Amino acid sequence: MKRNLISGDTADFPSLTFRVGGHFCSISARHVSGIMLMPDVVTPIPQVPAYCLGMVDIRGYVVPLVDLRTLFGLPTLDSQYTDFCAMIDSYKADHEKWVNTLRECIVTKAPFPLSADAHGCRLGKWFDTYAPANQSVASQLKKLEEPHERFHESAALYEKYLADPNGDVTLARVKTFFDRSATLYKPEILKILEDTKESFLREYQSILIILEQDGETTLSFIVDSVDAVETITRVPQAQEGGFWQNSQFVIGIGRGERNTSNILMLDDAALAALAEHITL
């Protein structure tokens, strides 16, 4: 039977709230003995579960280091970052292709086969629909809107020339406008996309939470970020028969004082018990 750390609708002790792979979690602050950045040295241990990254020295005590992402079946930060970088690189390549295609069409006076609409190209469609949970990435991508719109004006101007070659828009004007856009906006767009990679990591700092049981440091585990120490209120509809009861590490679903997101209330005793399995 699970140990119950909850009295009525609120935890009987303030909780430490943190994030793991986009999920909000909390643990009773009663047994949290410290918080620190990822140490430089992690000693690997052979033949341990995949969620154990090795051993670390915490104030003179050597304790197991657990990756909560792996323990919970979530993508690791490294794999998530690799996938994100691959996605960004694909859109950088799409933008390069768009620019080079427009340049070739202007030189040969050929119809432009891609979208002149800033919201119709592949980069624009992605930008319009992508909603990153990472706020640093969202803020960085917001910078993309203006230079992307301005660059597409050169394609619209070229299509206006094609529609009426003898009109007010001359090919010389199109070339001048395109060259200026390529000089000003292309490197800016590519830099913004490249900077999103660093922004992605800004909210994922690999912070260690250190657990203590019976006065001894027993375990450390990695989280993406630490939010606050606050009172957690259990969500009423999750009190009985919740799906979370199938997890040995979750004792309830709650809400904090700072936002309305659902928070997984973790069992510190179940986490601390992992050390016994790792060191057997």
Side-chain angles (χ1 to χ4, degrees):
M1 181 178 295
K2 290 190 176 182
R3 186 169 57 96
N4 185 11
L5 293 180
I6 300 173
S7 301
D9 292 330
T10 59
D12 60 7
F13 204 84
S15 296
L16 179 69
T17 57
F18 51 90
R19 279 173 280 181
V20 179
H23 298 276
F24 290 90
C25 302
S26 72
I27 193 169
S28 173
R30 182 194 326 231
H31 298 296
V32 175
S33 64
I35 300 170
M36 60 182 286
L37 294 177
M38 183 76 172
D40 294 331
V41 178
V42 177
T43 303
I45 309 173
Q47 297 180 322
V48 294
Y51 59 74
C52 179
L53 300 183
M55 305 287 277
V56 291
D57 189 301
I58 306 293
R59 298 188 291 269
Y61 290 91
V62 178
V63 298
L65 174 61
V66 168
D67 183 356
L68 284 194
R69 282 174 170 256
T70 302
L71 181 67
F72 294 164
L74 300 172
T76 64
L77 180 56
D78 285 346
S79 65
Q80 191 174 346
Y81 179 62
T82 298
D83 291 344
F84 180 80
C85 289
M87 178 182 68
I88 292 298
D89 288 343
S90 72
Y91 288 111
K92 287 176 62 179
D94 283 333
H95 180 65
E96 292 270 18
K97 178 183 177 181
W98 187 93
V99 173
N100 293 335
T101 300
L102 180 57
R103 177 185 287 110
E104 181 66 21
C105 288
I106 292 173
V107 170
T108 61
K109 299 183 184 180
F112 184 50
L114 304 178
S115 177
D117 183 358
H119 304 282
C121 69
R122 189 165 180 264
L123 176 61
K125 289 178 179 178
W126 170 73
F127 176 74
D128 287 343
T129 58
Y130 184 60
N134 186 314
Q135 292 305 306
S136 293
V137 170
S139 298
Q140 182 65 30
L141 287 178
K142 184 66 177 175
K143 301 175 185 178
L144 190 66
E145 188 171 2
E146 181 177 357
H148 185 241
E149 290 270 3
R150 295 296 298 273
F151 207 150
H152 270 262
E153 290 175 1
S154 59
L157 189 66
Y158 178 58
E159 290 193 335
K160 187 175 182 180
Y161 162 77
L162 290 179
D164 184 9
N166 298 315
D168 295 337
V169 178
T170 65
L171 187 60
R173 181 185 171 191
V174 171
K175 289 180 178 178
T176 299
F177 195 92
F178 171 82
D179 289 342
R180 181 174 180 273
S181 296
T183 300
L184 291 177
Y185 304 126
K186 177 185 174 181
E188 182 178 358
I189 291 170
L190 295 178
K191 183 177 186 304
I192 290 170
L193 289 171
E194 188 64 26
D195 287 347
T196 58
K197 297 177 182 179
E198 181 179 343
S199 297
F200 179 91
L201 292 176
R202 203 163 291 155
E203 292 187 13
Y204 302 116
Q205 302 174 37
S206 293
I207 296 176
L208 266 62
I209 296 177
I210 304 157
L211 291 186
E212 182 180 90
Q213 294 284 328
D214 300 323
E216 293 186 0
T217 301
T218 57
L219 186 83
S220 62
F221 59 88
I222 299 175
V223 301
D224 296 342
S225 63
V226 172
D227 293 333
V229 175
E230 57 185 321
T231 298
I232 302 298
T233 302
R234 189 196 287 240
V235 178
Q237 55 266 37
Q239 286 185 352
E240 300 295 338
F243 67 91
W244 47 268
Q245 290 183 345
N246 293 322
S247 170
Q248 69 181 99
F249 300 109
V250 181
I251 57 175
I253 308 297
R255 297 246 172 86
E257 303 165 304
R258 295 171 176 264
N259 60 55
T260 58
S261 299
N262 288 329
I263 298 174
L264 299 176
M265 305 172 75
L266 304 184
D267 187 339
D268 55 88
L271 288 173
L274 291 172
E276 299 176 10
H277 300 290
I278 292 170
T279 55
L280 285 177

